[in-house]
Amino acid sequence: MIQAAVLGYGTVGSGVVEVIEKNADMVGRNAGEEIHVKYILDLRDFPGDPHEKEVIHDFKQIIEDDEVKIVCETMGGVGAAYEFTKQALTAGKSVCTSNKELVAAHGPELLALAKEHNCNYLFEASVGGGIPIIRPIKDALTAERIEAITGILNGTTNYILTKMEKEGADFESVLKLAQDKGYAERNPEADVEGHDACRKIAILSSLMTGKNVDYQKIYTEGITKITARDFAYAGAMGMSIKLLALSRKMGEETLAMVAPFLISEESPLHMVSGVFNAIMVKGNMLGDSMFYGRGAGKLPTASAVVADVVDCARHIGETLMCFWDAEEAALMSIDDVERKFFFRAKAGNGERLKKLFGEELQEISLSDVTEETGYVTDVMKEKEFAALYEQLADITVGSRIRIEA
């Protein structure tokens, strides 16, 4: 029997215990040995809980217990979770986590620590929740030169944008609904401002390049400026608006960014709605493959953590390969990226705009809107568009949206 400990008995932590217990036969068979949760670390007590006897308050008990071989870190944050993870790895105990913030901030250090002490630091649940994506990149696609990763990596923002599109609702009202349903936190900043998706694409970019991609250097833009009117124009163009996280190899550099994009009906990501997530991986031999499913939630995320537990149980005393070095990856500035842009302007300014953007500027009109017009530019560099757009502050309405080819 392999003994495990769970740090944090919240949504994901309690889910990990539930998955190990309910699927004990499958987990044990796949691990080659029965897995048992010996300790649950939390500041709280849980009287009446079926696992109240396993709840402890001192992490030292876990570190000093040689029977514990695997630790599931589901606390979140980069404070105690970081310190406990380092201590566990230093003690030769493998750590499985769903903590995207910690992985993005300290991934190379913790992976090196695991290697040094012949154990593992696994983080399948940190990016896609229940969607397997780390393991496919690390193991199944090892014959591929991965050229690009594009994904809808946040279920909260995808739910909000889907409701806005289908119901013509505004951002604030849908955000409140998402909070009432438990899809969005009371403080939704990490989701709606794109920070959550940014950390996830940083992790994927690091695995793609084999070098560390600092999430703090990734251009990130959220969805708070998207309006119901934007969706009306998107519908008129046969397009949708999604918050995309993307990473692409551009010669010796890597382009990584998070922002709302208009995408066409031909894109496989167009149909991804509600709280679902999807990640497209482009390999130089395979081409495009897509991983789709629930990107969050108690049991889907817990299932991914337990899958890592099984992997650790199969490799007690040895370290699984993970190509992610501490060397910083060279990130490309978005200024020189070329694409089309959509923007809105007050009616009657067509001639002025065509003088600036050229005759290729396309007008998009809505039958029930007379006070403004939508426009789509030809392909141009980000810095060129930004310079022209800045000159139009007196006539533009709303904000511009990039178009993903």
Side-chain angles (χ1 to χ4, degrees):
M1 179 184 292
I2 295 176
Q3 300 289 356
V6 175
L7 311 186
Y9 199 46
T11 300
V12 178
S14 61
V16 168
V17 176
E18 183 176 342
V19 171
I20 290 175
E21 183 178 58
K22 287 188 174 180
N23 287 357
D25 55 341
M26 291 291 296
V27 170
R29 187 180 75 183
N30 291 328
E33 198 171 342
E34 183 182 348
I35 292 175
H36 175 257
V37 177
K38 187 173 184 178
Y39 301 113
I40 298 170
L41 181 75
D42 205 287
L43 293 173
R44 303 162 292 176
D45 290 308
F46 297 87
D49 187 276
H51 298 280
E52 65 175 313
K53 291 182 179 178
E54 284 85 57
V55 176
I56 62 171
H57 308 302
D58 186 0
F59 181 66
K60 191 176 179 181
Q61 280 184 252
I62 297 172
I63 287 297
E64 294 180 348
D65 191 334
D66 292 336
E67 285 191 344
V68 175
K69 303 298 183 184
I70 303 169
V71 174
C72 303
E73 186 275 295
T74 60
M75 301 169 65
V78 292
Y82 174 52
E83 294 302 326
F84 290 168
T85 297
K86 285 198 299 181
Q87 290 180 47
L89 294 172
T90 301
K93 302 177 190 294
S94 291
V95 177
C96 308
T97 186
S98 58
N99 189 343
K100 67 192 76 68
E101 186 177 3
L102 181 56
V103 178
H106 298 287
E109 176 192 356
L110 298 174
L111 285 166
L113 204 56
K115 185 176 181 180
E116 181 184 348
H117 295 280
N118 300 313
C119 55
N120 284 287
Y121 184 58
L122 302 185
F123 42 89
E124 181 64 69
S126 68
V127 173
I131 306 170
I133 185 62
I134 303 295
R135 197 171 281 105
I137 289 176
K138 189 167 64 73
D139 298 332
L141 298 176
T142 50
E144 291 288 321
R145 188 182 302 277
I146 297 176
E147 299 175 336
I149 298 174
T150 306
I152 295 170
L153 299 179
N154 184 275
T156 299
T157 51
N158 203 47
Y159 172 82
I160 291 172
L161 293 175
T162 299
K163 294 289 283 186
M164 290 177 68
E165 179 176 33
K166 291 184 176 180
E167 300 179 8
D170 61 46
F171 171 80
E172 292 296 337
S173 63
V174 178
L175 172 59
K176 185 179 184 306
L177 178 63
Q179 290 171 322
D180 292 343
K181 286 181 172 289
Y183 295 147
E185 302 288 344
R186 288 299 119 188
N187 179 2
E189 181 180 353
D191 293 322
V192 300
E193 295 294 353
H195 304 315
D196 177 80
C198 172
R199 294 186 178 103
K200 292 174 179 178
I201 199 63
I203 294 169
L204 293 177
S205 299
S206 297
L207 293 172
M208 180 180 80
T209 63
K211 299 179 181 179
N212 189 51
V213 174
D214 185 346
Y215 73 93
Q216 298 179 82
K217 296 179 181 178
I218 294 176
Y219 177 86
T220 302
E221 189 178 309
I223 65 168
T224 57
K225 295 179 181 178
I226 302 299
T227 66
R229 180 67 60 83
D230 290 324
F231 274 107
Y233 282 107
M237 293 185 284
M239 305 183 88
S240 183
I241 302 171
K242 302 291 185 183
L243 182 70
L244 297 185
L246 58 87
S247 181
R248 292 174 183 162
K249 287 187 177 178
M250 310 288 284
E252 296 299 313
E253 295 182 308
T254 299
L255 168 67
M257 65 181 297
V258 175
F261 282 87
L262 280 155
I263 59 174
S264 70
E265 292 176 340
E266 285 72 40
S267 169
L269 296 175
H270 186 278
M271 49 70 68
V272 180
S273 61
V275 296
F276 282 83
N277 288 187
I279 305 162
M280 290 184 63
V281 179
K282 183 178 182 180
N284 67 328
M285 297 297 166
L286 175 65
D288 290 326
S289 55
M290 188 166 89
F291 301 81
Y292 170 83
R294 292 187 179 274
K298 175 179 178 176
L299 294 179
T301 304
S303 176
V305 174
V306 177
D308 280 346
V309 170
V310 169
D311 240 2
C312 289
R314 289 171 174 169
H315 298 90
I316 297 292
E318 60 179 300
T319 304
L320 298 166
M321 292 296 293
C322 184
F323 301 99
W324 180 354
D325 297 330
E327 180 186 350
E328 289 289 319
L331 292 183
M332 176 183 181
S333 168
I334 69 166
D335 287 349
D336 293 319
V337 179
E338 295 184 331
R339 57 169 49 94
K340 293 183 178 182
F341 297 83
F342 166 80
F343 67 95
R344 295 152 50 196
K346 295 175 184 177
N349 288 284
E351 290 303 314
R352 175 184 170 185
L353 292 170
K354 286 194 174 183
K355 285 181 181 178
L356 280 176
F357 290 95
E359 291 299 320
E360 297 83 3
L361 188 69
Q362 179 185 357
E363 290 190 8
I364 311 294
S365 299
L366 299 176
S367 59
D368 58 342
V369 176
T370 58
E371 71 275 15
E372 65 174 65
T373 305
Y375 294 91
V376 173
T377 71
D378 198 7
V379 174
M380 59 194 308
K381 289 184 177 181
E382 286 259 1
K383 62 184 177 183
E384 294 171 350
F385 174 81
L388 294 175
Y389 190 69
E390 190 176 353
Q391 300 177 36
L392 306 174
D394 59 320
I395 62 168
T396 51
V397 182
S399 61
R400 54 89 186 97
I401 305 175
R402 298 170 177 86
I403 298 177
E404 176 72 348

